[in-house]
Each structure stands twice: as C-alpha cells, then as structure tokens.
Amino acid sequence: MRGLFALLILLLPLSALAQDLPKPLSTEVSDYAQIIAPDDEAAISRALTELRNTTGVQGTVVTLEDRAQYGGSDGLETFATRLFNHWGVGDASRNDGFMILVLAEDREARIELGAGYPNDTDIRAQDIMRGTMLPAFREHRLSKGTRDGTEAVINLIARPHAAGLPPPEASHRNLIDRAMGLIFFGAFAAIFGMIGLKHWRRRHCPQCGKGGLETTREPNRLPAEHGSYTVSDTRMTKSCPHCGWSETRLLPLPQRISYGPDNRELRRERNPAYRNRSSGGGSGFGGGSSRGGGASGRW
C-alpha cells in the first residue's frame, strides 16, 4: 500500500507538467511570445502548409517567453521533447514531423526532430541552428531568425528526408558540395517565391489593395470591482495606413489573469475560452513522436 502511495506521489509532478504545457494556437505557428512579424508569420505558415500538402511532412513553430511557467525547469531538450510528444507533431506512422521552439526570455532555441529522422540529421540541424538562427537572434532579429531557420529546416532536412535522400554532410563538405547545397536551397526558394506571389493579396489591404498592413497587439482589459481588471484576451488590430481600413480580433489567452488597481497581479486561472478555441476544428496534428533528436542553441 505504501509503495502504491509513493508511486502516485511520483506521478503527480508528471501529470502537472502535462497539464501546464501550452496548447497550439494553430498547427503552423503558435507565437505566444509575440516575436514574429506578420509578414514572417504569413511566410512561415505558407511554407509549412505547402510542405505538408506536397510531402505529408508536418512542421510547427512555437515561441514562448520562457519554459518555467510551463513546467520546463528540467531543461530545454527535455521540455522540447515533452511538448513535441504532447502535441503529437507529424504523422504517427512516419514520425517525420519537426518543431522550431524559441524561448525569448530564456534566450534559448531548439530544433526538435521526429523519431523517424536518422541520427546524422542532428548534424544538419546543428548547422542550421549555429549558422542561420543564432546569428540573427544575437542581433535581436528574432522574427527573421525564426523564419530563416524554419525555411532551412524545410529545405535542407524535411524535403530531402521525404524524398528518401540521406541528410547531406554539414561539417565536412567540400567546395562542390557547398555549391550544390546553395543551388538546392535556391531552387526551393524560387518555388516558394512563386507560391508567395499567388498569395500576395493576404498581405494587402482588402479595401484599397495597397501593401504595408500594420498589426498591433495589446491586452484586452475587462474592468472589475474597485478599479481591478482582468485580462483573458489579446486585441489584435490590422490597419491600412493608406486608406484607414482596420479590423480587430480578440485572441483568447491560455490563462485569465486578474490585476488589482495598482496593476499588481492577483491570481491566474485557466481560460475556458482558450481551451474551446484550441480544441475546435482543423486538421490538427498527426500523433507523431520524438526521441529527442535535433539541435539546441543559446544566445
């Protein structure tokens, strides 16, 4: 009896960790930290959607302020693998999904790969982390680093793997290999450029047709008693600086936070509206899993 009780005590922290994990805002981009510019987010979503439509490979991008608030005190790699498996990224039979995780306040990033990728792929993932993502992050260009890193994983890892090609060598390539890699990357970049032209209207004002839509996000404060207030949504507004068109949407947050009149946080609780939104329709993830392969970086 004591043994059973002890086992339950040990399992309780694991259960709590699973409950604390964030839910996806979408299968493509979950920008909780709000570090990705609208144009970059649109480009990432298009690239991931095209990848899934043409190869069946599913990738997702996640940004968080930190991992501690989601029970991630056990380390970056462990947290990334747990989040990947909790969401079930990728096809369950092939396990070829991937996750790009950026922790803005922790200054950490992770490329988490599904269990179906060979171990040699970790070398290429580390190359992308060190050569593409971290240099941009160190220059405070989090949005660009996330976008470029995602596109590099798509072109240099996900697509070759889907085509049955071995991962190209990263650290010991000769000049010819490097040239071929650039040609390979450039070809796919050209393809995505053509796709982007077909979707240009998404970045233009529906009223005047001009580009340069501006996006602002701010917490939606709901007044309470005695000068207190609660925040359970983010107010996202898209506006056109040319004709004045604007559109505002409320995006539910995973937690409802109550503040006092002096703006001090009083309490946090789960937001039912967010859970309903997350469990709504859509294609969802495919039930894939990871063994912890990939690459990490800190800046």
Side-chain angles (χ1 to χ4, degrees), residues 26-278:
S26 77
T27 54
E28 288 81 33
V29 180
S30 298
D31 185 21
Y32 278 103
Q34 299 184 5
I35 63 172
I36 305 178
D39 286 351
D40 287 337
E41 182 171 344
I44 292 171
S45 296
R46 287 195 304 271
L48 292 175
T49 299
E50 175 66 14
L51 174 70
R52 189 174 188 184
N53 290 340
T54 56
T55 68
V57 176
Q58 184 177 47
T60 191
V61 173
V62 191
T63 75
L64 304 172
E65 292 183 358
D66 59 73
R67 50 184 164 83
Q69 63 179 310
Y70 300 105
S73 58
D74 51 348
L76 170 61
E77 289 75 14
T78 303
F79 175 74
T81 303
R82 184 165 66 250
L83 181 61
F84 187 106
N85 292 338
H86 183 67
W87 285 9
V89 181
D91 182 87
S93 62
R94 303 188 320 189
N95 286 321
D96 54 3
F98 67 88
M99 172 184 286
I100 307 294
L101 173 64
V102 180
L103 304 170
E105 296 297 327
D106 291 337
R107 300 174 69 88
E108 296 177 337
R110 173 77 178 168
I111 299 173
E112 186 76 15
L113 300 176
Y117 288 96
N119 294 335
D120 289 347
T121 312
D122 293 353
I123 301 175
R124 171 45 58 92
Q126 192 62 61
D127 234 28
I128 294 172
M129 178 63 69
R130 292 176 178 173
T132 301
M133 299 178 68
L134 293 182
F137 291 164
R138 291 182 181 121
E139 296 175 355
H140 308 290
R141 297 182 296 158
L142 299 184
S143 181
K144 178 173 176 54
T146 303
R147 174 179 175 176
D148 290 349
T150 303
E151 292 175 345
V153 171
I154 289 173
N155 294 328
L156 302 178
I157 293 179
R159 285 192 178 276
H161 180 76
L165 302 175
E169 296 180 4
S171 301
H172 305 288
R173 293 179 301 166
N174 58 31
L175 184 60
I176 296 178
D177 292 329
R178 293 179 183 274
M180 291 301 296
L182 290 174
I183 294 173
F184 187 79
F185 183 83
F188 279 114
I191 293 173
F192 285 123
M194 295 175 63
I195 295 172
L197 291 176
K198 295 181 180 180
H199 299 277
W200 68 272
R201 285 191 174 91
R202 295 182 182 180
R203 303 189 300 272
H204 288 69
C205 175
Q207 182 167 290
C208 69
K210 295 183 179 180
L213 291 180
E214 299 175 348
T215 300
T216 59
R217 305 189 192 195
E218 59 180 5
N220 182 40
R221 297 188 176 189
L222 299 178
E225 296 180 353
H226 310 299
S228 301
Y229 62 93
T230 61
V231 175
S232 58
D233 306 281
T234 295
R235 182 185 292 110
M236 184 180 74
T237 301
K238 289 186 177 182
S239 59
C240 176
H242 305 288
C243 69
W245 171 89
S246 67
E247 176 185 71
T248 300
R249 291 189 299 162
L250 291 179
L251 303 178
L253 296 170
Q255 294 181 320
R256 179 187 292 139
I257 307 175
S258 299
Y259 295 90
D262 55 357
N263 295 324
R264 287 193 305 170
E265 182 178 323
L266 301 178
R267 66 179 181 275
R268 290 173 177 252
E269 56 188 355
R270 295 185 181 277
N271 186 2
Y274 172 76
R275 291 202 300 270
N276 292 338
R277 181 177 183 267
S278 298

